Amino acid sequence: MKRIILFTFLLCANYMVFAGGYRVALQGNKQLAMGHTGVAVLNSAETVFFNPAGMAFLNNRFSASVGANFIFSNISFQNTEFGWSSEADNPVSTPFNAYVAYQVNDWLSVGLGAYTPYGSSVEYPENWEGSHLIQKIELASIFIQPTVAIKLHDKMSIGGGPIFVTGNVNFNRNLDRSLSDLEGNRSNVTIDKSGINAWGYSLGMLFRPTEKWNIGVNYRSEIEMDAENGSADFQNVPSGLQGQFADGTFNASLPLPAELTVGTSYQINDKWLVAFDFNRVYWDSYDSLNLSFSNGLQSTNPRNYKNSSTYRFGVQYVANDQFTLRGGYYFDESPVQEGYFAPETPRNDSDNFTGGLTFNVNSRFAIDASFLYIHFEEVDASYDYHPESNGQTSSFGGTYKNNAFIPGLSVSYKF
């Protein structure tokens, strides 16, 4: 009984780890094609996200961009010691972004952005070896960011604004690898919560030593996501245990970590632009996920994430009046430490290759395309904090291989 209750606690702990352990860096197709650089790049309304201060130096009075990406991901798991082998059947995810920037006068600009930096779907085969950890998760979040930029003088601007976040999550897993009802149906639970709202902010600065050289800094604050009165629906529980697993509610809190990005871009000539960004994410705010249930039970679940860095490089080439080509690469460090690796976020260090182009239909309207290929390094890892009835902990792990291919498309307009 104690073992099953603790497994249930871990189920609820895992439901939001996907948001904490998987940052979806798809906030604009122009910038994604350039290795997702952008804190010092001034080429579109996408600067609303990458560095609000950049709005003050855009060449057009009005600019807008709307786009989406399509995530095709693969996850395979294998444990040769026990002969386990599974592959996730992940639905296609479609994060989106939309930005508008408007220069009110020579020194004031305003903008608005909506984007989805946390959200995806993972689904494993029914009753796979790790079904007591995760069976299926669907996560979605939308960030809405009004921004203001002020040009202090011809070489410097500042900008920023509040961020409103709203999201929802649905998570399912088995209570145990063997527990079932009289008909043999595996006991499971679904955690569901919508309308999770929170606030944060973004601040940026842009410095232009010369007309060709830009230096940018952007900071996005930590955002605390509080899930209150979420539902817990238990299914196929043996009759003798239904009193312990009656449907109810739960509360939990998850920090979305702060991020600091610094970078530079240089216009080599009329054709070539290069950019480099360094991104630091302060994952150490996520040391544990604590939950409380409507029946009075409490749970503390260690995660012990570490701060991680991303190194980004991008290049842009203006081929002619109609076509602009882009390419890039970035190396992304995982925040997951040894012994804390869970299958709902099978993320290791990754190499990321990007490319894309812009087709200018006319002087105002353009179509942007991008692609991203993510290759996560193969890892033999485990999560070592599964409780047993004797008060000890056990591990679940194996070899994880995963990758993702992500094309994207957007349209932009300016005048």
Side-chain angles (χ1 to χ4, degrees):
M1 179 71 67
K2 180 179 179 181
R3 178 171 63 93
I4 295 173
I5 293 174
L6 289 173
F7 268 64
T8 306
F9 284 170
L10 286 175
L11 160 70
C12 300
N14 284 338
Y15 92 99
M16 283 196 298
V17 175
F18 197 83
Y22 192 79
R23 168 73 162 82
V24 185
L26 302 169
Q27 275 68 68
N29 285 301
K30 274 190 173 70
Q31 306 316 137
L32 177 61
M34 293 181 61
H36 212 251
T37 60
V39 72
V41 178
L42 305 173
N43 61 6
S44 73
E46 293 175 6
T47 192
V48 170
F49 168 81
F50 289 91
N51 187 353
M55 293 190 301
F57 288 101
L58 291 177
N59 292 328
N60 301 97
R61 188 173 185 85
F62 175 87
S63 56
S65 175
V66 178
N69 298 88
F70 306 88
I71 302 177
F72 302 89
S73 61
N74 301 288
I75 303 172
S76 64
F77 167 81
Q78 186 176 27
N79 185 309
T80 56
E81 180 181 359
F82 299 105
W84 296 342
S85 180
S86 294
E87 292 187 4
D89 182 18
N90 299 330
V92 178
S93 300
T94 56
F96 71 89
N97 57 82
Y99 307 102
V100 175
Y102 177 72
Q103 293 182 346
V104 179
N105 52 42
D106 291 340
W107 60 272
L108 177 65
S109 299
V110 296
L112 180 66
Y115 48 92
T116 52
Y118 295 91
S120 191
S121 301
V122 176
E123 184 173 354
Y124 285 93
E126 186 176 2
N127 299 331
W128 74 294
E129 295 82 1
S131 62
H132 58 294
L133 300 177
I134 176 176
Q135 191 69 62
K136 179 181 179 180
I137 185 171
E138 295 180 356
L139 175 73
S141 65
I142 299 175
F143 283 43
I144 300 173
Q145 178 187 324
T147 58
V148 174
I150 298 174
K151 184 186 291 186
L152 301 178
H153 53 70
D154 291 340
K155 293 185 180 296
M156 180 176 289
S157 63
I158 58 174
I163 300 174
F164 172 72
V165 185
T166 184
N168 61 79
V169 65
N170 183 276
F171 183 93
N172 173 267
R173 87 168 199 185
N174 291 339
L175 299 182
D176 189 275
R177 281 183 285 190
S178 59
L179 189 67
S180 63
D181 62 13
L182 293 177
E183 286 73 36
N185 301 309
R186 295 282 290 275
S187 302
N188 67 89
V189 62
T190 298
I191 298 297
D192 186 78
K193 176 60 181 175
S194 59
I196 307 173
N197 300 327
W199 288 89
Y201 63 88
S202 175
L203 295 174
M205 181 189 72
L206 187 73
F207 177 54
R208 310 192 72 188
T210 70
E211 291 185 359
K212 294 184 176 182
W213 183 21
N214 297 328
I215 299 172
V217 180
N218 181 237
Y219 177 80
R220 280 184 292 277
S221 71
E222 178 182 318
I223 298 175
E224 194 79 18
M225 300 294 288
D226 295 321
E228 298 181 350
N229 296 317
S231 66
D233 180 23
F234 295 89
Q235 298 290 329
N236 306 325
V237 177
S239 57
L241 297 176
Q242 289 180 0
Q244 297 290 333
F245 298 104
D247 295 345
T249 63
F250 71 95
N251 297 332
S253 181
L254 176 76
L256 303 184
E259 297 184 40
L260 175 67
T261 305
V262 297
T264 185
S265 69
Y266 188 76
Q267 188 77 49
I268 299 174
N269 53 40
D270 292 341
K271 296 286 188 179
W272 291 95
L273 172 73
V274 294
F276 173 78
D277 283 6
F278 171 77
N279 175 253
R280 185 70 169 171
V281 184
Y282 297 97
W283 290 111
D284 63 353
S285 62
Y286 188 31
D287 59 350
S288 180
L289 182 61
N290 304 322
L291 301 99
S292 60
F293 293 82
S294 56
N295 58 13
L297 297 175
Q298 304 290 323
S299 176
T300 300
N301 306 278
R303 284 297 178 260
N304 197 30
Y305 274 27
K306 63 180 180 179
N307 296 338
S308 64
S309 300
T310 305
Y311 308 86
R312 306 178 184 275
F313 174 77
V315 60
Q316 175 178 281
Y317 174 71
V318 180
N320 51 47
D321 290 341
Q322 281 193 312
F323 288 97
T324 299
L325 309 179
R326 301 181 181 89
Y329 166 83
Y330 63 93
F331 178 76
D332 193 3
E333 295 177 345
S334 171
V336 182
Q337 299 202 70
E338 184 177 353
Y340 296 87
F341 200 95
E344 78 278 355
T345 52
R347 172 180 175 174
N348 198 25
D349 295 346
S350 65
D351 295 295
N352 300 258
F353 305 90
T354 72
L357 59 84
T358 291
F359 172 65
N360 295 307
V361 179
N362 52 46
S363 61
R364 294 188 175 187
F365 181 74
I367 300 173
D368 304 308
S370 71
F371 74 84
L372 165 64
Y373 175 73
I374 306 176
H375 174 73
F376 292 91
E377 296 180 7
E378 180 180 322
V379 60
D380 188 5
S382 63
Y383 185 79
D384 300 333
Y385 295 92
H386 303 310
E388 297 290 345
S389 58
N390 59 7
Q392 302 298 312
T393 58
S394 63
S395 297
F396 176 86
T399 301
Y400 293 88
K401 299 179 182 179
N402 54 323
N403 58 64
F405 178 71
I406 307 172
L409 193 66
S410 62
V411 295
S412 57
Y413 182 79
K414 61 186 179 182
F415 62 80

